[in-house]
Amino acid sequence: MRWGRALIGVALVLLLSACGARYNPLFIGGGASKPVIGWRGCPGVDHNGIEEVGLYKWAKNGTADNPGQLLWHIRADKNNILSLIALGEAPTGFTTRLPLTAHLDSGTTYALRTNMASNDLVSGFLTFRPDQLAVGRIVFNSGKAESLEDYEGRDNEDFGCFTD
């Protein structure tokens, strides 16, 4: 499994943070009954899509490399360019490696870990609680929640998108 590279990806996100990126582009939004995982891509970047997603029940002493119990895992059969995936579902071109059978408890903390199609070293990580989710709101940057309008209004450079 390529999750061993997730730590490198998290390190890359931290490195980008040192270069001016304030936030990880991974987010989750929508209502608690139908959450959607998303990746905020940089304008003009091709092949920037989610390739692999894992949902974990966050462990008390969890880390980005070992977040806890794996509840759901999907992976693209080939490089798909998807920036939105419904939590618990496998879109066309993805294989379910572990189906989501657990009901998400509203007050429990969960972790999402993704790998991106554009680069095996680019990964996303965040934690969230389903009670943070509501239509028109998103959670990103490990628990930071805000309106979708405010999130979309943020400068792309906050997410590591820099123009030449």
Side-chain angles (χ1 to χ4, degrees):
M1 215 171 7
R2 296 169 27 171
W3 290 113
R5 291 186 251 179
L7 184 60
I8 294 170
V10 171
L12 180 62
V13 168
L14 294 174
L15 178 63
L16 286 173
S17 296
C19 298
R22 295 176 56 198
Y23 303 114
N24 183 324
L26 178 65
F27 66 89
I28 186 165
S33 65
K34 200 68 167 165
V36 175
I37 302 161
W39 184 265
R40 182 178 172 136
C42 295
V45 175
D46 292 332
H47 308 294
N48 190 20
I50 299 170
E51 179 181 67
E52 187 172 17
V53 181
L55 172 71
Y56 298 80
K57 184 174 182 182
W58 182 245
K60 186 175 184 177
N61 296 321
T63 64
D65 194 41
N66 188 15
Q69 178 188 2
L70 181 63
L71 300 175
W72 173 65
H73 181 207
I74 62 170
R75 183 162 183 188
D77 299 328
K78 56 184 174 233
N79 285 348
N80 289 309
I81 302 171
L82 293 178
S83 58
L84 296 172
I85 295 175
L87 182 71
E89 298 178 13
T92 302
F94 279 72
T95 298
T96 300
R97 297 191 169 211
L98 178 64
L100 180 60
T101 59
H103 174 73
L104 301 187
D105 178 64
S106 65
T108 299
T109 301
Y110 297 92
L112 282 173
R113 209 162 58 172
T114 62
N115 285 326
M116 306 311 296
S118 61
N119 184 331
D120 288 343
L121 299 178
V122 177
S123 298
F125 178 81
L126 68 78
T127 58
F128 73 98
R129 293 182 327 277
D131 63 8
Q132 291 178 286
L133 301 176
V135 175
R137 294 190 59 77
I138 59 104
V139 177
F140 68 108
N141 215 54
S142 289
K144 181 170 179 57
E146 67 184 15
S147 74
L148 182 58
E149 182 179 352
D150 287 345
Y151 178 80
E152 289 177 344
R154 288 185 177 275
D155 191 306
N156 283 327
E157 288 187 8
D158 287 346
F159 297 91
C161 300
F162 301 101
T163 57
D164 293 334

